[in-house]
Amino acid sequence: MKNSNLIKLCVAWMVVCIPLGWGVYKSVEKSMPLFKGRASPPAAASGR
Amino acid sequence: MAFLDREHSVADSTFTRWLVPPAALAVHLCIGEIYGFSVFNVPLTKLLGTTQSVAGDWTIPQVSWLYSTALILLGLSAAVFGKWVEKNGPRKAMFTSACCWGGGFLIASLGVRFHQFWMVLLGYGVIGGIGLGLGYISPVSTLVKWFPDRPGMATGMAIMGFGGGALIGAPFGSELMKRFATPTSTGVMEAFLVMGLVYFCFMVFGAFTVRVPAPDWKPEGYVPSLVQKKLVTHAQVSADEAIKTPQFWLLWAVLCLNVTAGIGILGQASNMCQNMFGVPKAVGDGFAGFLSIFNMGGRFLWSSTSDYIGRKNVYFIYFLLGALLYSLIPFTQHLNNVTLFVAITAVIISMYGGGFATIPAYLKDMFGTMQVGAIHGRLITAWSMAAVLGPQLVTYIAEYQKARHVPAAQSYNFTMYLMVGLLLAGALCNYLVKAVHTRHHHPGTSTVPLTTIPKQP
């Protein structure tokens, strides 16, 4: 592969991977409480 | 505008096919925003009151029409313009999609500015929805042609972008509203404006990066399999002919049932987690975010897997494993085991995403590459229907259970068992898929199975 093609390829993948990586990071950040939070017995399970 | 034509986007011999997936991703990452649109729901109901809804403000049911209309138009435009996309090539289709999607946001922004709901509906719902449909199908047939050796992986990569678009769109919209909000404005108008411009530029990047392969092009070292597989045709079927085959409608049902079942969890993930396990809202929302990562990842992983084990087999996994996992969900509540619940639902959602991503390669196997984009476009109506009717069905059941005074923690059980039924019906449809009859083949493209050719002495 020619050098110019390789550069184009790297740039094209970076253009899509950077925002995608940011989106994944934000989702992981948002899902953190899931791993930190503790489940309590479901309040609604005993009644209405 | 001749530079947008198919003839002007044929790749030369130095072009690398690995530039096509990022071009497709650029489009899908933008249009995938539709899944993250809910971040605008509440702000759109406070445009006049800013901090709270006041008389004259739009309501949530009204605002939810924006999302529904866009999804309906996605299906319709993909079905109607599929052949146009095939004829004019991916570059013109992607560019038109960019104009519709970006322009739709700008019109919606004006609608917000003047508080005219019809204008927002026209911009985001109708024009944006057409952009969604065009953008969704535009790279599919091109990718299949560039990657005849790995069509599942190639289309999986693009359609993964649609899942990823939600991961970007929701926080992007929230950050913009936060940035532009003032004591007298929710910041929605400015957010729509910026998003329209950014998405337009990003999609145009995709349009100018994409190329179609030369008619005689083949990947280096690629030798098409000489062994005729029962469900992989070397013949071609036109879009008009495809819809006359039972295979098309079976695959339509396969997609529709798979999507409906996935929505059973995705649509109410946060509430389910809260009601079943008593976790706080932040944890429930975290669960929804966690699932969206699997929705995205599953698209690539399962679709790539289908290149090795076959499309029909991978759909059997989606349906049968999915049915088993859905039936286990009530037990996770009984055991109060959140970890098990999260693990099971993550696998289910990965298969929901996988269902979307594997279908173009399944269509390619059944109908060939000639008009696979147009056939895919027509099949997308199954998704539109499932996306609109699925949540209605789930909401109706939840309300019915509530009316019967079923405890909230157990109110999802019936829905889960219903999903098991839908998935088993999907497995049956998948089982019934057989090779397309030769009478549907495009003249001159039928091939005689090599197994029937007598061996040379």
Side-chain angles (χ1 to χ4, degrees):
Chain A
M1 195 186 293
K2 285 201 301 192
N3 271 352
S4 59
N5 264 350
L6 191 66
I7 293 168
K8 260 191 223 169
L9 197 62
C10 291
V11 170
W13 278 101
M14 272 167 64
V15 166
V16 291
C17 285
I18 290 173
L20 185 58
W22 179 75
V24 172
Y25 168 75
K26 295 298 271 185
S27 292
V28 171
E29 196 180 43
K30 189 184 164 193
S31 62
M32 274 302 136
L34 177 64
F35 302 103
K36 290 177 185 162
R38 281 169 176 232
S40 55
S46 54
R48 228 161 282 159
Chain B
M1 300 291 262
F3 61 95
L4 294 173
D5 291 344
R6 176 183 278 277
E7 297 72 41
H8 290 89
S9 57
V10 178
D12 61 27
S13 58
T14 61
F15 184 81
T16 165
R17 62 175 174 164
W18 290 100
L19 275 169
V20 182
L25 269 169
V27 172
H28 273 239
L29 285 174
C30 294
I31 59 177
E33 186 276 344
I34 178 81
Y35 274 157
F37 186 75
S38 58
V39 295
F40 291 110
N41 283 353
V42 173
L44 279 169
T45 63
K46 295 177 181 173
L47 293 175
L48 298 177
T50 311
T51 51
Q52 58 180 19
S53 293
V54 295
D57 257 322
W58 302 331
T59 61
I60 286 284
Q62 207 176 353
V63 167
S64 65
W65 269 106
L66 298 172
Y67 172 81
S68 301
T69 308
L71 273 186
I72 292 167
L73 263 292
L74 184 159
L76 290 178
S77 62
V80 172
F81 297 118
K83 282 173 80 176
W84 179 85
V85 170
E86 287 290 352
K87 189 179 165 212
N88 290 281
R91 184 178 284 175
K92 193 179 263 185
M94 285 178 178
F95 187 78
T96 311
S97 168
C99 293
C100 289
W101 187 234
F105 264 105
L106 300 188
I107 294 169
S109 169
L110 279 177
V112 171
R113 166 72 182 81
F114 296 112
H115 204 254
Q116 294 293 323
F117 185 74
W118 69 268
M119 214 188 262
V120 185
L121 190 67
L122 175 72
Y124 191 86
V126 178
I127 299 174
I130 293 171
L132 279 176
L134 288 176
Y136 193 86
I137 59 168
S138 57
V140 167
S141 119
T142 308
L143 279 164
V144 166
K145 284 168 190 160
W146 273 113
F147 291 87
D149 46 344
R150 278 173 282 184
M153 180 210 71
T155 55
M157 234 187 277
I159 291 170
M160 175 186 81
F162 200 83
L167 305 189
I168 300 169
F172 185 37
S174 299
E175 294 287 337
L176 286 174
M177 282 191 288
K178 219 184 284 171
R179 169 76 182 78
F180 291 113
T182 64
T184 56
S185 163
T186 53
V188 177
M189 182 197 78
E190 295 85 346
F192 276 1
L193 191 68
V194 173
M195 288 175 99
L197 294 173
V198 170
Y199 282 148
F200 175 77
C201 295
F202 213 71
M203 290 169 82
V204 166
F205 159 78
F208 286 99
T209 304
V210 78
R211 297 281 188 284
V212 290
D216 55 346
W217 180 88
K218 275 194 196 107
E220 214 176 292
Y222 171 65
V223 182
S225 172
L226 291 176
V227 181
Q228 186 88 12
K229 291 180 186 164
K230 265 195 286 183
L231 285 180
V232 182
T233 183
H234 291 293
Q236 308 292 342
V237 180
S238 70
D240 292 339
E241 198 60 34
I243 57 168
K244 295 177 190 163
T245 64
Q247 286 81 0
F248 176 86
W249 295 105
L250 286 169
L251 291 180
W252 194 95
V254 160
L255 182 66
C256 188
L257 291 165
N258 190 51
V259 173
T260 308
I263 284 172
I265 281 193
L266 205 57
Q268 49 183 350
S270 178
N271 287 340
M272 243 173 103
C273 200
Q274 290 172 61
N275 290 331
M276 287 176 71
F277 299 99
V279 297
K281 187 176 180 302
V283 177
D285 290 348
F287 172 62
F290 183 70
L291 286 189
S292 56
I293 298 172
F294 280 82
N295 178 17
M296 182 187 79
R299 291 170 189 242
F300 179 67
L301 291 175
W302 285 111
S303 191
S304 301
T305 306
S306 76
D307 285 336
Y308 298 97
I309 65 170
R311 321 300 166 200
K312 194 167 182 172
N313 289 337
V314 92
Y315 272 95
F316 272 131
I317 296 177
Y318 298 157
F319 288 125
L320 298 179
L321 179 61
L324 174 72
L325 293 177
Y326 260 116
S327 66
L328 290 176
I329 287 181
F331 292 102
T332 64
Q333 194 274 322
H334 183 70
L335 299 170
N336 198 29
N337 191 333
V338 188
T339 311
L340 187 61
F341 171 76
V342 170
I344 285 176
T345 49
V347 177
I348 289 175
I349 291 303
S350 78
M351 295 192 292
Y352 162 79
F356 280 116
T358 315
I359 206 80
Y362 208 163
L363 292 173
K364 177 249 167 202
D365 287 355
M366 303 300 301
F367 303 108
T369 56
M370 187 175 73
Q371 289 193 340
V372 68
I375 299 169
H376 185 221
R378 292 175 187 197
L379 200 85
I380 290 300
T381 50
W383 169 23
S384 283
M385 180 173 276
V388 174
L389 295 183
Q392 297 285 349
L393 178 72
V394 170
T395 309
Y396 174 78
I397 293 170
E399 289 300 315
Y400 177 71
Q401 296 284 78
K402 210 166 143 188
R404 286 181 60 213
H405 306 303
V406 174
Q410 279 119 48
S411 64
Y412 296 95
N413 294 1
F414 183 75
T415 309
M416 296 304 118
Y417 294 134
L418 179 74
M419 296 304 154
V420 171
L422 291 179
L423 287 168
L424 292 178
L428 178 66
C429 292
N430 188 44
Y431 172 75
L432 294 173
V433 174
K434 308 281 182 234
V436 174
H437 194 280
T438 50
R439 73 169 177 272
H440 296 292
H441 291 175
H442 195 68
T445 64
S446 284
T447 50
V448 181
L450 294 178
T451 47
T452 65
I453 297 174
K455 281 182 186 167
Q456 296 295 318

